[in-house]
């Protein structure tokens, strides 16, 4: 549902080159491979796949939650809205991302 809503938000706001990184490998695979009409989320997957046919470039990929601090902060906040100024909790992760800081997973 989050991927669907975020793609819809991107389309409505005129973004035509989108990189969608999800920590749900299952969701990414379902979108890429499609599902049968009997799947629990068949309607949602079908809508997302139809959205991807629009005139835009969308890459949907899997990432580890730990590898995308900014997305993790937003997900914990339940951010499913358009924001013009980053929340204070996001300032440090954005700065670290801009500096190219990498975190090694143990």
């Amino acid at each position: 549902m989050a991927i669907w809503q975020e793609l819809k938000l991107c389309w409505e706001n005129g973004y035509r080159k989108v990189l969608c990184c999800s920590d749900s490998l299952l969701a990414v695979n379902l979108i890429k491979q499609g599902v049968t009409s009997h799947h629990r989320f068949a309607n949602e997957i079908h809508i997302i796949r139809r959205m991807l046919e629009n005139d835009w470039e969308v890459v949907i990929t899997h990432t580890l939650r730990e590898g995308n601090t900014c997305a993790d902060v937003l997900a914990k906040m339940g951010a499913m809205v358009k924001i013009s100024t980053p929340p204070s909790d996001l300032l440090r992760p954005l700065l670290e991302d801009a500096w190219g800081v990498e975190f090694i997973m143990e």
Side-chain angles (χ1 to χ4, degrees), residues 3-69:
I3 293 173
W4 174 20
Q5 292 301 319
E6 294 299 331
L7 287 176
K8 182 178 173 190
L9 188 64
C10 288
W11 178 259
E12 290 172 352
N13 285 283
Y15 297 104
R16 296 301 179 254
K17 288 190 176 187
V18 177
L19 172 61
C20 175
C21 300
S22 173
D23 64 350
S24 172
L25 182 59
L26 177 60
V28 170
N29 287 339
L30 291 175
I31 292 167
K32 287 184 174 184
Q33 298 168 6
V35 295
T36 69
S37 60
H38 301 291
H39 190 278
R40 177 178 174 187
F41 295 111
N43 289 334
E44 292 82 357
I45 299 297
H46 179 72
I47 290 169
I48 291 170
R49 289 173 59 91
R50 287 192 55 207
M51 287 179 70
L52 296 176
E53 295 173 2
N54 289 341
D55 187 22
W56 61 339
E57 294 177 39
V58 179
V59 175
I60 298 179
T61 188
H62 175 255
T63 187
L64 297 176
R65 181 179 304 150
E66 298 83 2
N68 192 341
T69 308

